[in-house]
Amino acid sequence: MALASWRCCSWLILLCAYTWGHPKPVDLKTEDVRNCSTSPQYLPTTAVNTTAQLTALREQMSTKNLSAYIIPDTDAHMNEYIGEHDKRRAWITGFTGSAGTAVVTMGKAGLWTDSRYWTQAEREMDCNWELHKEVGTVPIVNWLLTDISAGGRIGFDPSLFSVGSWESYNKALQDSGRELVSITANLVDLVWGSERPPVPSEPIYILQETFTGSTWQEKVSSIRSQMQKHHKAPTAVLLSALDETAWLFNLRSSDIPYNPFFYSYTLLTDSSIRLFVNKSRFNSETLQYLNSNCTGSMCVQLEDYSQVRDSVQTYATGAVRIWIGTSYTMYGLYELIPKEKLVADTYSPVMVTKAVKNSKEQALLRASHVRDAVPVIRYLVWLEKNVPKGTVDEFSGAELLDKFRGEEKFSSGPSFQTISASGLNAALAHYSPTKEHHRKLSSDEMYLVDSGGQYWDGTTDITRTVHWGTPSAFQKEAYTRVLIGNIDLSRLVFPAATSGRVMEAFARRALWDVGLNYGHGTGHGIGNFLNVHEWPVGFQSSSITMDKGMFTSIEPGYYHDNEFGIRLEDVAVVVEAKTQYPGTYLTFDVVSLVPYDRNLIDVSLLSPEQLQYLNHYYQTIREKVGPELQQRQLLEEFEWLQQQTEPLSSRAPCTTSLASVLAVSTLAILNWNV
């Protein structure tokens, strides 16, 4: 596609400035929200009447002698996405946003959530609920201390509190005269009763050996070897995160939206393997695969999912030491293990081990990204043709991209809800459209699409930002500086065992140079047909140090309130760097293979090294994705790819013809006369 360079036609800028404006921000005051201060109170049709739920919950609280009950937005495994039957906070409040904590006392009910969800909460909650526009433990505890008298008991379900959450609440309530009480029977579940959606029961299946890096027996042996070498000599590892068990046994299912997991726990000891799960979901082939009909050290003993507390408590009575990762172990299991028998690290050995992909896993993930480039390119080509017609909106576009991905070999659905954001909506970093609320895509605005797929051989995540018209000079500068941040971090050479937090500034430096920044993290790990956000890899302070074989996203951005947003996200693998002098140094090799928008790149801002890197990346895309498009007879997409990956020149000549420039100016003048 021709790159318009207005520097050679500067006289048109003044002419067109009168006709091209900025989009106006949405006025949230016009949203249909509740008004609890009027008489009678006003509730929109979207609000949920929660009187019956709250009455029944308070009856349950009374039987437990509770003054308050805390309802978090988590499930028992700290999943990023939760199943329908775990959406307790949504059911009790009516508020369906993904983040927020509810607290019910005998006389009040409050919801705490962040600014992303304030309007949504006002639309969905009735006047039984107070909306508190802040988050964290301290505001909730301060409210509780005001509303509950000394001697009050504050109940919670320990299976829904992480170890960190419990410690935070417990510390804040110390010496307050109020007691934090662990109640193992979830009170919301008791009230929800038969209306609660059932637990998923789809089959748990074996991931074919073609798509796994090691057998489950090899993985179990590796973890046991780590147990033996640990200086505290743990006798068992307790796994609570669902991706840990799925990875360990090479099993998958569909209990969690966007994630191929199943509800489970694992207690791996030095002489036994216990898998806590719904046994009826295994067929005879899977039972044989797990050696479930024997009791040896390489036989998987299946126990019911609901028995995990009793089994852990019984095991903990012996001469044992239990190794856990506190980041994903809930307090409900943590409280059962005597402190002298606890070996606690931030992450379990399984979490750390699966973060480093072996050579086969790396090849699988690379292959999935080559194929994943095809639907993204198909979508970008389709948008280029259809957006000018005015027929495309954010939601329909996201649906089409999901459809394209679903047509790919080994596809198992999207890896998260597609972020399809046009104009000012893209300024919200994690905005996603709905069937009811979305904007039309326009050639006059920037468009951000952040999407990913689940494939049997890997998980993908990629973001591209495009503009089909004439971006402003500031938009091009901001985009190019985001691109520079992506390039600078991607080509960085660093010592082995360097923390991602140390490197993160390289992605921000070009923005910082001119006083710009972004407010989200720079990257996260990614799994092999597992989590799209796979910890503990990434650039956060809590991430582990970088090691060869880790995969991480690299995703700097910039967001201009009420106007536009930019994010450029690629997935990269950590590889050994070639250095002039001997030493153990690493760098990144980008595996995402979709070109950036040439229309938004100001080549004059790129250094020779950055330009060389970009052109080499484009050559790689041609070599790996081009044959894939040709093989499928996607000739239009192949031609588009060839144009988009033409080497960029530092001279960046004006490629817009005078005739097309005059046509634009003529249309602008005609519009003035209408």
Side-chain angles (χ1 to χ4, degrees), residues 413-469:
S415 56
F416 58 96
Q417 183 178 1
T418 297
I419 296 172
S420 172
S422 178
L424 58 94
N425 284 342
L428 307 172
H430 298 102
Y431 164 88
S432 287
T434 66
K435 193 173 184 178
E436 297 76 24
H437 296 89
H438 54 257
R439 298 181 81 241
K440 281 283 182 72
L441 272 60
S442 167
S443 297
D444 298 326
E445 294 181 335
M446 298 181 87
Y447 172 65
L448 185 156
V449 57
D450 184 349
S451 64
Q454 289 285 12
Y455 303 94
W456 295 344
D457 51 351
T459 304
T460 69
D461 184 4
I462 185 170
T463 308
R464 290 295 181 262
T465 305
V466 296
H467 196 305
W468 300 283

Side-chain angles (χ1 to χ4, degrees), residues 203-272:
I204 298 170
Y205 60 89
I206 304 166
L207 187 60
Q208 297 175 30
E209 187 176 345
T210 305
F211 303 113
T212 62
S214 307
T215 66
W216 71 259
Q217 291 91 340
E218 290 170 334
K219 293 177 180 180
V220 164
S221 296
S222 172
I223 300 304
R224 281 178 170 159
S225 176
Q226 293 181 50
M227 291 163 55
Q228 292 170 0
K229 295 174 183 177
H230 197 289
H231 68 283
K232 291 188 177 180
T235 60
V237 174
L238 177 61
L239 305 178
S240 296
L242 299 188
D243 62 326
E244 294 178 310
T245 290
W247 175 86
L248 183 66
F249 296 111
N250 296 327
L251 297 173
R252 301 291 190 272
S253 193
S254 56
D255 294 6
I256 306 299
Y258 308 113
N259 294 328
F261 305 148
F262 51 95
Y263 289 104
S264 56
Y265 296 93
T266 298
L267 183 63
L268 172 61
T269 79
D270 48 13
S271 60
S272 66

Side-chain angles (χ1 to χ4, degrees), residues 23 26 67 128 152 161 209 225 230 298 407 416 493 514 570 586 617 651 673:
V26 175
S67 306
N128 284 309
F161 265 50
E209 187 176 345
S225 176
H230 197 289
M298 279 296 181
E407 296 169 0
F416 58 96
V493 175
V514 292
D570 295 307
L586 304 173
Y617 173 60
R651 285 188 287 274
N673 294 329

Side-chain angles (χ1 to χ4, degrees), residues 479-499:
Y479 182 96
T480 306
R481 290 186 179 279
V482 171
L483 176 59
I484 290 171
N486 183 299
I487 291 172
D488 284 352
L489 185 52
S490 297
R491 60 189 290 268
L492 182 68
V493 175
F494 53 92
T498 298
S499 168

Side-chain angles (χ1 to χ4, degrees), residues 52-337:
Q53 292 99 299
L54 286 170
T55 299
L57 178 61
R58 286 173 175 137
E59 289 175 358
Q60 290 291 336
M61 290 165 57
S62 181
T63 65
K64 302 290 185 182
N65 192 28
L66 296 178
S67 306
Y69 192 66
I70 303 172
I71 308 152
D73 53 21
T74 57
D75 65 7
H77 302 275
M78 295 284 287
N79 285 305
E80 181 177 2
Y81 301 100
I82 61 175
E84 292 298 319
H85 81 291
D86 280 322
K87 294 183 178 179
R88 300 172 178 88
R89 196 236 37 236
W91 182 79
I92 199 70
T93 65
F95 167 63
T96 60
S98 62
T101 300
V103 181
V104 177
T105 68
M106 299 309 288
K108 293 181 180 180
L111 173 80
W112 284 257
T113 190
D114 65 74
S115 59
R116 292 175 295 167
Y117 300 106
W118 292 346
T119 300
Q120 181 180 348
E122 296 285 15
R123 296 185 76 248
E124 294 180 336
M125 294 195 306
D126 65 9
C127 291
N128 284 309
W129 292 88
E130 300 175 1
L131 175 60
H132 297 269
K133 298 181 177 181
E134 49 192 345
V135 293
T137 303
V138 172
I140 295 175
V141 169
N142 288 341
W143 183 81
L144 285 168
L145 294 179
T146 300
D147 197 64
I148 297 174
S149 302
R153 288 161 43 91
I154 301 166
F156 71 100
D157 179 349
S159 71
L160 302 182
F161 265 50
S162 67
V163 175
S165 293
W166 175 80
E167 289 175 341
S168 181
Y169 278 100
N170 192 54
K171 181 178 180 181
L173 288 167
Q174 274 183 351
D175 303 321
S176 69
R178 285 81 168 172
E179 182 184 3
L180 191 60
V181 183
S182 173
I183 308 290
T184 56
N186 188 281
L187 302 190
V188 174
D189 291 352
L190 296 177
V191 173
W192 207 346
S194 60
E195 294 181 10
R196 186 186 180 200
V199 176
S201 58
E202 293 296 312
I204 298 170
Y205 60 89
I206 304 166
L207 187 60
Q208 297 175 30
E209 187 176 345
T210 305
F211 303 113
T212 62
S214 307
T215 66
W216 71 259
Q217 291 91 340
E218 290 170 334
K219 293 177 180 180
V220 164
S221 296
S222 172
I223 300 304
R224 281 178 170 159
S225 176
Q226 293 181 50
M227 291 163 55
Q228 292 170 0
K229 295 174 183 177
H230 197 289
H231 68 283
K232 291 188 177 180
T235 60
V237 174
L238 177 61
L239 305 178
S240 296
L242 299 188
D243 62 326
E244 294 178 310
T245 290
W247 175 86
L248 183 66
F249 296 111
N250 296 327
L251 297 173
R252 301 291 190 272
S253 193
S254 56
D255 294 6
I256 306 299
Y258 308 113
N259 294 328
F261 305 148
F262 51 95
Y263 289 104
S264 56
Y265 296 93
T266 298
L267 183 63
L268 172 61
T269 79
D270 48 13
S271 60
S272 66
I273 309 169
R274 301 187 200 178
L275 174 57
F276 300 89
V277 68
N278 179 353
K279 292 180 282 187
S280 67
R281 301 174 64 183
F282 293 118
N283 61 23
S284 57
E285 179 190 3
T286 309
L287 293 174
Q288 183 177 359
Y289 163 83
L290 293 171
N291 298 332
S292 63
N293 59 349
C294 59
T295 58
S297 63
M298 279 296 181
C299 302
V300 180
Q301 302 169 35
L302 301 179
E303 299 189 26
D304 192 77
Y305 176 81
S306 63
Q307 295 302 307
V308 64
R309 274 181 60 91
D310 291 341
S311 291
V312 169
Q313 190 167 28
T314 299
Y315 180 78
T317 60
V320 299
R321 288 177 180 268
I322 303 175
W323 193 2
I324 67 167
T326 55
S327 291
Y328 286 90
T329 302
M330 306 308 268
Y331 182 72
L333 296 177
Y334 177 84
E335 67 177 345
L336 303 175
I337 306 171

